[in-house]
Amino acid sequence: MEKYEILQNGDNEMTISFYFNKKSLIVPWIIFFSILLLIVSKLNPDLIAETFISIIIAMSALTYVLFNDYFEWYKNKFHVFSIRDEDLYINNKFHCKLYKLQSVNVVYLNGKYSLGWKVYLDVFPISSNDYIIKKHLLEKDAHEIAEKISIFLNRNVKIES
């Protein structure tokens, strides 16, 4: 099964959909509930009441670590690129003027929770206006997605190291 689908609707619109294997959430749920059950069973009710806020913060951090892939997918699961009057719209919201779009970039992420390849749109001037298409990709998938987007937007692919 493919992990993504790219459809081009004419010359002015492209849709990218990413899929998520929900079965991969089984192990994080088991770990999460095991730790929660362990905490609740080992602490007496008075101690739980005193450390309730600490337990909530710790469980929130654990949730982020265990479900990071799901959160990243949910944030970047669907993109609709459309070109209207020399403007780039992403998901029907204005993103930038086409002349400000520099390139489609591919970069390898080597962070604590961000391993894999990232594809994003580089917008001039350097700003927070860069648009992340997807993180945590395989190298082959990242290059393929970047190439298709670059053809659609008529921009070069830039591979960063």
Side-chain angles (χ1 to χ4, degrees), residues 28-74:
W29 276 113
I30 291 171
I31 293 170
F32 180 80
F33 282 119
S34 298
I35 291 173
L36 184 62
L37 186 62
L38 181 69
I39 290 171
V40 170
S41 66
K42 293 293 180 183
L43 295 177
N44 62 30
D46 294 336
L47 193 55
I48 289 176
E50 291 175 12
T51 60
F52 184 72
I53 299 298
S54 300
I55 292 171
I56 294 296
I57 292 170
M59 294 310 287
S60 297
L62 181 65
T63 301
Y64 177 77
V65 170
L66 290 174
F67 298 101
N68 188 32
D69 287 341
Y70 177 77
F71 295 142
E72 196 277 325
W73 167 80
Y74 189 78

Side-chain angles (χ1 to χ4, degrees), residues 96-103 122-125 129 155:
C96 69
K97 297 282 188 185
L98 271 179
Y99 70 87
K100 289 185 175 184
L101 185 62
Q102 297 294 304
S103 61
D122 186 21
V123 180
F124 182 82
N129 207 21
R155 297 295 183 267

Side-chain angles (χ1 to χ4, degrees), residues 7-18:
L7 300 171
Q8 188 162 345
N9 308 326
D11 292 339
N12 295 333
E13 189 170 289
M14 174 185 266
T15 304
I16 303 173
S17 303
F18 293 97

Side-chain angles (χ1 to χ4, degrees), residues 112-131:
K112 201 170 197 176
Y113 302 111
S114 299
L115 291 173
W117 293 83
K118 174 174 86 168
V119 177
Y120 69 97
L121 301 177
D122 186 21
V123 180
F124 182 82
I126 297 172
S127 67
S128 61
N129 207 21
D130 292 345
Y131 185 79

